[in-house]
Every structure is written in structure tokens, then in C-alpha cells.
Amino acid sequence: MHPVLAAFPRRPLTLKPGRGSIGAWLMALLGLVLFGGFLALVAVQIVPEIRDDLAIRDAAVPAPQVRVTDGRCRSRMFLFQDCEVTLTWRGKDGQGSRKLSYMFVEPHMGSWSVIPMMDPARPGLVSTDLGLERLTNRMLTAAGGVVFAILLIGGLIVAATKGQGKAREVKALSGRPLEPVPVRFAGWGTGPSWRVQDERGATFEWPVRKKDKPFVIDAQRGMVLALRPTEGGAAFPLDEKLRFVTLSAEERARVRQAGGLPPT
């Protein structure tokens, strides 16, 4: 028997999740706010502008009576362009104005010039050559952004739900007689998390922090220390600092010394 296994106390132990679910839910909430706001922007502003440009693109002509009163573009990561243009005009019904927002993917090669455009049959639907020429690009960019936002929000919610489920599993193991066992470290998962495999080939995954390190008991074979119910079941890997289990100072020092680690 490995000295670490012999040094570990045989009694009911309280386990602690390597990474709680509260932080994951906060990240999911932040993602929902940020990317939910983007989805709202697309629905309220981007989609109506694309719809109007689709309606007039075949009949649009330069509109000398329309002026560009404000306009700017911001380039992100060289390829993603975000432009805002404000158009004003005076017609039979008085003065009108419209603020347009464009998002498209294109290498940033300097400033863009803007020519106001309009459909003579529908003078209220003013646009620009910049928007009309990149209409397909804008549509694909908006669609890609929507898909990315939905996938990201969904992924964050799934990760938070998974983390909460793992926390319940840890709570179910706590307070029971647990035995130390060697398990094979099977690598890092997403989240991040550790994957471990017991002697029967069963694999278990547990969320941890990026800075956590497993308690290695046989580096050559890739074996780490874990706790498992005496009657069998899920193997819960322990970290090098033994932060994932409640031990007395004497017990922690004895286990770490058996593993060739200095006491904490």
C-alpha cells in the first residue's frame, strides 16, 4: 500500500467542491446580460435596417437632398467593423433624420466615404451606399453574431447547471465513510475540470479551479489520490493542498508528509 493511502484517516469526511456553482451562475448571468443586450440590439435596430435596405436596394439612387451630419466607424480585431451614420433631410413633411448602424466583416483599409441613398417612391427609407453595398455581408454578420451569442449563453447556462449538479454529488459523498484510492489522471476537461479513471475503467469528471493541482502519488503511472465510498462508487480526486477535504492540521500534515510534500 502506498504510504499516502496508509496515512489517510478512516472516518466519515466532509468534502468540498473544487469549484462552486455560484461563480458559474454569475458568469451565466453576466453573459445573459451582455449577449442578451446584443440580441436585443439586433432585433430592435439591425434587423429593421436590413429589412428596409432589402426593400429599396434595387430602386435606390443617390439622394443629394440628404446630408450626412455624423458618422464614425470602429474597427475591432482588424476585421469586425461597427459603423454609425446619421442622415438628415428636409422634405414636404418637414425635416427628417435617421440614425443607421452597420456591422460587417471586412479588413480595415482606411476611411470609408458615404453617399446617401433613397428610393424616390419611398422617401422615408433613406440609406447609404456603404450599407447597401455590404447588405449581404451585414446579413451574414448579424446571423453569425446571433448564433454565437445564443451558443455562448447556452454554454454558460449548461456549465452552471453541470457545476451545480456536481456540487450536489460532492454533498452526497460528504459525511460517509470514505477510503483513499489511487486513480489515473485522465486529463483536463472544460470549465476547467479534472477527469479521473478508477481501476474498473469508470471515468469521473469534477470541476476545479485552473490553479488547482491534483495530489500525485505516482507520477510515472499518472496516478493521483482520490476518495471513494467504502462500498464503491464515484472517485473524488483531491488537490495537492488537500483543500477539497476537511482534515485536522495533524491529519493534513501526516498525509502530505507521506506524499513527500511539506506541511502547509
Side-chain angles (χ1 to χ4, degrees):
M1 178 182 290
H2 194 281
V4 171
L5 305 182
F8 219 92
R10 263 60 172 182
R11 61 176 176 82
L13 296 167
T14 300
L15 303 181
K16 304 175 184 178
R19 177 168 47 85
S21 60
I22 294 179
W25 279 113
L26 289 176
M27 285 296 296
L29 179 60
L30 179 62
L32 183 61
V33 171
L34 292 178
F35 291 95
F38 170 77
L39 294 176
L41 172 67
V42 171
V44 173
Q45 185 168 346
I46 303 299
V47 169
E49 291 176 358
I50 290 176
R51 178 199 60 205
D52 292 345
D53 282 356
L54 283 170
I56 68 171
R57 62 175 175 176
D58 295 330
V61 296
Q65 69 273 32
V66 180
R67 296 189 304 113
V68 178
T69 56
D70 189 24
R72 63 175 180 172
C73 288
R74 293 183 293 268
S75 180
R76 295 179 174 86
M77 296 180 290
F78 182 70
L79 288 176
F80 185 78
Q81 314 302 330
D82 178 14
C83 297
E84 294 181 352
V85 180
T86 301
L87 304 177
T88 59
W89 66 92
R90 185 176 297 276
K92 294 183 295 183
D93 299 328
Q95 186 170 346
S97 66
R98 190 180 192 191
K99 186 175 181 179
L100 301 171
S101 296
Y102 301 139
M103 292 188 303
F104 54 93
V105 176
E106 181 179 304
H108 181 59
M109 304 299 291
S111 301
W112 286 283
S113 61
V114 175
I115 299 176
M117 305 287 287
M118 67 182 300
D119 181 356
R122 286 172 284 190
L125 297 182
V126 296
S127 185
T128 67
D129 62 332
L130 178 68
L132 292 174
E133 290 173 0
R134 291 162 178 80
L135 185 53
T136 301
N137 191 322
R138 290 162 55 201
M139 294 168 61
L140 294 175
T141 301
V146 167
V147 171
F148 176 79
I150 292 175
L151 289 177
L152 186 60
I153 292 173
L156 290 172
I157 293 176
V158 168
T161 303
K162 183 178 179 181
Q164 189 172 6
K166 289 297 181 181
R168 286 195 294 265
E169 289 185 45
V170 174
K171 185 176 180 180
L173 291 173
S174 293
R176 300 167 58 182
L178 302 173
E179 62 177 354
V181 293
V183 294
R184 188 177 68 84
F185 186 74
W188 285 81
T190 57
S193 61
W194 291 343
R195 294 193 184 101
V196 295
Q197 191 175 65
D198 66 13
E199 72 280 3
R200 299 164 298 170
T203 300
F204 309 96
E205 185 171 348
W206 304 92
V208 295
R209 302 177 303 181
K210 287 185 178 180
K211 63 181 180 180
D212 289 328
K213 298 179 180 179
F215 196 114
V216 179
I217 56 178
D218 189 336
Q220 188 172 5
R221 296 171 54 207
M223 306 300 287
V224 299
L225 175 65
L227 292 176
R228 182 173 62 190
T230 54
E231 67 274 16
F236 180 75
L238 297 181
D239 64 312
E240 191 177 80
K241 297 181 179 180
L242 299 175
R243 185 179 63 88
F244 299 171
V245 60
T246 300
L247 298 172
S248 68
E250 294 78 9
E251 290 171 336
R252 179 175 286 103
R254 184 167 64 249
V255 173
R256 287 179 58 85
Q257 183 178 11
L261 299 172
T264 56

